[in-house]
Amino acid sequence: MTNPLKGQIEVTLGSETYKARLTVDSIIKIENSCNCGIIKLATKMSEGDIRLSEIVNVLLPALRGGGNDFDEKKVMSIVQEQGIINSTTVVANLLAQSLTDNSNEEAEDSSKKKAV
């Protein structure tokens, strides 16, 4: 089970579901490896302008941040197995969820639970 308060997100690649988490450190690594800012990377993805290496460069630290003991070779294998389109969709959702401020939603959910 993921913990959204810690920024954990579930990502599904094929039949497997993994915990993923983008920390500040992992975002810096992604920016350095992709040679652009994380918001620009998300924009490039929305325009369909993403490289396969960038998909791996996002997935690797995100999956490691979720507690998975993966190396680059394992992530490349997952991407190859699942296909570029599915992997790109997962990365796009991961970036969108990580860049979205969910604090208001979490506060609403918490107040709803208290009211019940």
Side-chain angles (χ1 to χ4, degrees):
M1 179 131 201
T2 60
N3 184 344
L5 295 176
K6 289 185 174 183
Q8 291 178 338
I9 300 166
E10 281 189 355
V11 295
T12 302
L13 289 161
S15 61
E16 295 291 324
T17 300
Y18 305 98
K19 287 182 189 176
R21 181 174 178 236
L22 288 178
T23 63
V24 172
D25 184 53
S26 63
I27 290 172
I28 290 170
K29 288 178 183 175
I30 291 166
E31 290 177 335
N32 288 335
S33 64
C34 294
N35 202 30
C36 70
I38 197 78
I39 294 173
K40 181 163 182 146
L41 182 62
T43 302
K44 283 175 52 175
M45 287 197 74
S46 71
E47 297 168 351
D49 182 21
I50 187 142
R51 297 176 178 177
L52 195 52
S53 62
E54 292 170 327
I55 292 169
V56 173
N57 288 337
V58 172
L59 281 175
L60 181 59
L63 291 169
R64 282 184 178 167
N68 302 286
D69 186 23
F70 290 160
D71 60 11
E72 186 175 3
K73 200 171 198 176
K74 173 69 175 172
V75 174
M76 288 177 9
S77 173
I78 291 170
V79 169
Q80 181 175 357
E81 185 179 301
Q82 298 311 308
I84 295 170
I85 300 298
N86 186 36
S87 299
T88 302
T89 302
V90 167
V91 168
N93 290 334
L94 177 65
L95 288 175
Q97 290 179 28
S98 296
L99 295 173
T100 303
D101 179 14
N102 294 327
S103 58
N104 290 337
E105 292 175 19
E106 291 167 5
E108 285 179 22
D109 288 345
S110 179
S111 64
K112 287 179 183 176
K113 289 178 183 174
K114 288 179 184 176
V116 173

